[in-house]
Amino acid sequence: MIVEPKIRGFICTTAHAEGCRENVKNQIEYVKAKGKVASGKKVLVIGASTGYGLASRITAAFAGGAATIGVMFEKPSNGKKTASAGWYNTAAFEEFAAKEGLYAKSINGDAFSKDIKEQVINLIKEDLGKVDLVVYSLAAPRRTMPDGETVSSVLKTTGEAYTNKTVDVANRTVMPVTIEPATEKEIEDTVKVMGGEDWKDWISAMKEADVLADGAVTMAYSYIGPELTHPMYYNGSIGAAKAHLYNTAKELTKEFAEIGLSAYVSVNKALVTQASSAIPIVPLYTAILYKVMKPLGLHEGCIEQMHRLFKDKLYSEPKVLADDCLLRVDDWELKDEVQQKVSEAWEKISTENLDELADVDGYWDEFYNMFGFGCENVDYDKDIEIDIKIPSIV
Ligand code: NAI
């Protein structure tokens, strides 16, 4: 099939298998060129198929020499429609891992469920015995709770409505947007989906099954950002979930002291990923950020961030912590010289000067790229196979 991008709202409903393979290959080449990093050697990544989770898995495996198990929620092809990008990424990851003799298996299904937790634990028992690093990188719009109720996360403010600028990246228009406050129930539900409860369920189930190595490390991802985005993010419903995640890290370290577990939250940079494209205001901020950081030589994508996280923060000796459980790779994003330029641009930005002040082209390049489009070295006129198997999933 000749595969073209089909954009609907914040997502692209098609993905290009060869482009996704190329993206994974490029990320592997990046970390290999940067040299080896210290890492857990038996690693579980929950949310391993795209964005930060995929980049973590690539860093652990190809720069850290780790055996990896990845959990994700992706769609295979049915022969007519393409698979999702994360499916193709995972197929490519396993292909390249096999070539280097690195153990890699993946489990596709709902990470919130008991069933998937059991499948993963059994796989660890059979193949790895125990794991020494668990990365929790889920970004999900909803969660089915153990009692069968499905709750959704919302991207709203808490307290009062908030009006600021946003960009319609499709029409390249800057316009005002008002974000309504979340109800108490919406905040609670967002915390259930994106907070630390499920992370803790994973760690508890793994401890119970004795598949966590002594001195194991676990890490989840968060975002803080500058004040400009605080009403929407840090102080919004998603921020409430991230605060819960942070408290969970503290709890986990305390509760599992017996096995010497250390739990961390890494605060990462704002980037275009499938999860972040849906957040109002943030895409305009991200496009301005790219415009500011690129000429300063400070721009990073997921793979650069994760490689730096492993090398300079998590596994450096001593660890570089912002407090007892916080790692910060948003340090470059939050540099004064960056944020000052971003605020100046934010004040002035309008539809008329959008391209001058924001990197909307860069935003679109990364957006298309996430789905395997716009890659050099890929012939998009070629008829390609869309039904690609993931070797470990039969
Ligand atoms: P993403 O959308 O690229 O990746 C999400 C991953 O979770 C995918 O592997 C997907 O298959 C998996 N997933 C989703 N629902 C699942 C389910 N029910 N069961 C199993 N797997 C499931 O997201 P991204 O942006 O990499 O986010 C990962 C974490 O990083 C999130 O906690 C996010 O808040 C955080 N973060 C993201 C930033 C950004 O700008 N993108 C900035 C800082 C932190």
Side-chain angles (χ1 to χ4, degrees):
M1 186 191 276
I2 292 170
V3 181
E4 287 174 354
K6 282 199 190 116
I7 310 283
R8 207 176 293 150
F10 304 117
I11 56 157
C12 178
T13 58
T14 54
H16 198 280
E18 290 194 2
C20 290
R21 184 177 180 278
E22 188 69 13
N23 284 340
V24 170
K25 186 165 154 253
N26 289 340
Q27 291 193 43
I28 293 171
E29 277 168 8
Y30 173 82
V31 296
K32 285 172 76 174
K34 281 275 178 180
K36 296 256 172 264
V37 295
S39 162
K41 292 297 175 215
K42 294 177 181 179
V43 178
L44 169 64
V45 182
I46 303 159
S49 53
T50 54
Y52 279 121
L54 172 65
S56 310
R57 190 179 191 185
I58 290 174
T59 304
F62 290 92
T68 59
I69 293 177
V71 181
M72 78 273 189
F73 208 12
E74 300 294 345
K75 270 208 192 91
S77 163
N78 59 7
K80 291 191 190 109
K81 280 188 174 171
T82 70
S84 56
W87 181 274
Y88 292 138
N89 291 340
T90 305
F93 178 89
E94 286 197 12
E95 176 201 330
F96 292 119
K99 278 189 189 144
E100 305 225 351
L102 289 166
Y103 171 98
K105 286 194 183 172
S106 310
I107 288 189
N108 192 41
D110 184 5
F112 293 119
S113 71
K114 212 169 157 230
D115 174 45
I116 289 296
K117 291 184 178 77
E118 278 169 9
Q119 283 187 40
V120 171
I121 286 170
N122 289 337
L123 183 62
I124 297 172
K125 276 188 186 160
E126 275 165 30
D127 289 2
L128 302 178
K130 295 186 183 204
V131 292
D132 52 5
L133 171 63
V134 180
V135 176
Y136 188 85
S137 185
L138 284 193
R142 66 191 70 84
R143 169 181 176 197
T144 301
M145 303 298 292
D147 66 2
E149 188 201 355
T150 298
V151 293
S152 297
S153 66
V154 296
L155 295 159
K156 293 189 178 177
T157 63
T158 54
E160 284 168 18
Y162 177 68
T163 301
N164 207 323
K165 296 172 190 177
T166 195
V167 63
D168 176 340
V169 277
N171 299 318
R172 303 175 93 95
T173 318
V174 177
M175 56 200 168
V177 64
T178 299
I179 324 273
E180 295 301 329
T183 62
E184 280 303 315
K185 163 90 171 105
E186 285 176 323
I187 298 170
E188 259 173 44
D189 287 355
T190 305
V191 171
K192 281 184 191 155
V193 180
M194 290 297 286
E197 197 177 81
D198 181 63
W199 184 22
K200 189 168 177 184
D201 286 352
W202 270 97
I203 297 300
S204 305
M206 292 175 75
K207 160 74 174 59
E208 177 87 356
D210 197 23
V211 294
L212 282 175
D214 277 350
V217 167
T218 185
M219 170 172 71
Y221 297 138
S222 187
Y223 182 66
I224 294 180
E227 267 177 39
L228 170 64
T229 61
H230 282 187
M232 185 52 235
Y233 199 103
Y234 189 59
N235 296 327
S237 51
I238 181 75
K242 294 300 187 189
H244 187 271
L245 196 71
Y246 173 78
N247 290 329
T248 304
K250 289 187 178 286
E251 250 174 71
L252 290 174
T253 302
K254 225 188 247 164
E255 251 182 76
F256 298 98
E258 176 199 333
I259 57 161
L261 179 87
S262 304
Y264 302 103
V265 168
S266 171
V267 186
N268 301 341
K269 179 193 182 205
L271 279 178
V272 183
T273 65
Q274 295 191 36
S276 67
S277 318
I279 310 178
I281 300 179
V282 169
L284 181 59
Y285 168 74
T286 310
I288 295 175
L289 188 68
Y290 283 14
K291 187 82 170 187
V292 171
M293 289 183 89
K294 282 180 181 173
L296 293 171
L298 295 173
H299 178 70
E300 296 173 298
C302 290
I303 196 64
E304 291 85 356
Q305 280 264 293
M306 293 301 97
H307 185 270
R308 190 157 69 86
L309 173 63
F310 276 61
K311 183 172 153 288
D312 294 347
K313 311 276 172 174
L314 180 62
Y315 287 104
S316 73
E317 282 294 340
K319 280 190 203 330
V320 179
L321 293 167
D323 69 18
D324 55 353
C325 71
L326 211 57
L327 301 145
R328 308 275 313 235
V329 272
D330 62 341
D331 44 356
W332 295 359
E333 169 180 353
L334 294 185
K335 273 177 189 270
D336 287 345
E337 61 174 326
V338 171
Q339 285 305 324
Q340 206 173 330
K341 289 198 166 104
V342 170
S343 334
E344 281 164 19
W346 188 272
E347 288 305 313
K348 286 191 274 182
I349 203 156
S350 64
T351 302
E352 291 65 43
N353 60 21
L354 181 63
D355 284 324
E356 186 194 318
L357 297 175
D359 186 15
V360 180
D361 288 340
Y363 183 95
W364 273 119
D365 286 348
E366 283 195 13
F367 183 87
Y368 278 109
N369 202 247
M370 279 192 296
F371 302 92
F373 297 103
C375 302
E376 280 173 31
N377 305 327
V378 173
D379 177 1
Y380 290 96
D381 296 326
K382 202 176 94 186
D383 208 330
I384 59 160
E385 177 59 53
I386 58 165
D387 194 1
I388 306 283
K389 303 277 173 257
I390 295 177
S392 71
I393 297 177
V394 278

